[in-house]
Amino acid sequence: MWDYIEQRVLKCAEYIVETGCTVRACSAHFSISKSTVHKDVSERLQYIDIDLFEQVREILNLNLSERHIRGGNATKEKYESKRLVKKD
């Protein structure tokens, strides 16, 4: 594997572990695509650092299990803000 790819994989993985962020947030932070981040942390990382891979996997599984809750809350906030604007 190329050296710059390994460095990118480790940076993304460390960022996810430190912040607990989603793949989408990590990709926005590093200005790379979501598919690249996902491939880095779900496939490439296990060959570079297995312990870090396990930590990232736990966080991503947690994010996956909470995804529907976040989406529901975002929709609720969207419509509440629209309702408040109409009242003013």
Side-chain angles (χ1 to χ4, degrees):
M1 190 176 314
W2 296 93
D3 192 37
Y4 76 94
I5 294 176
E6 281 189 26
Q7 291 174 357
R8 182 186 68 215
V9 170
L10 291 173
K11 283 181 185 178
C12 287
E14 290 169 357
Y15 182 73
I16 289 173
V17 168
E18 288 172 6
T19 62
C21 69
T22 60
V23 170
R24 182 181 297 249
C26 182
S27 69
H29 180 78
F30 290 107
S31 300
I32 53 180
S33 71
K34 292 183 299 185
S35 58
T36 300
V37 172
H38 189 269
K39 185 168 182 84
D40 284 350
V41 298
S42 65
E43 295 178 17
R44 294 182 177 130
L45 183 59
Q46 65 183 335
Y47 300 110
I48 298 171
D49 187 344
I50 192 69
D51 294 329
L52 188 57
F53 172 76
E54 293 296 330
Q55 291 175 345
V56 169
R57 178 72 7 228
E58 286 180 22
I59 292 169
L60 294 182
N61 285 339
L62 177 65
N63 288 340
L64 181 64
S65 69
E66 294 175 345
R67 180 173 59 185
H68 68 285
I69 296 169
R70 276 193 227 110
N73 288 339
T75 303
K76 180 181 176 183
E77 290 174 11
K78 173 184 171 183
Y79 287 106
E80 282 180 350
S81 68
K82 283 185 178 182
R83 187 170 34 113
L84 292 175
V85 169
K86 286 183 180 180
K87 286 184 178 181
D88 293 341

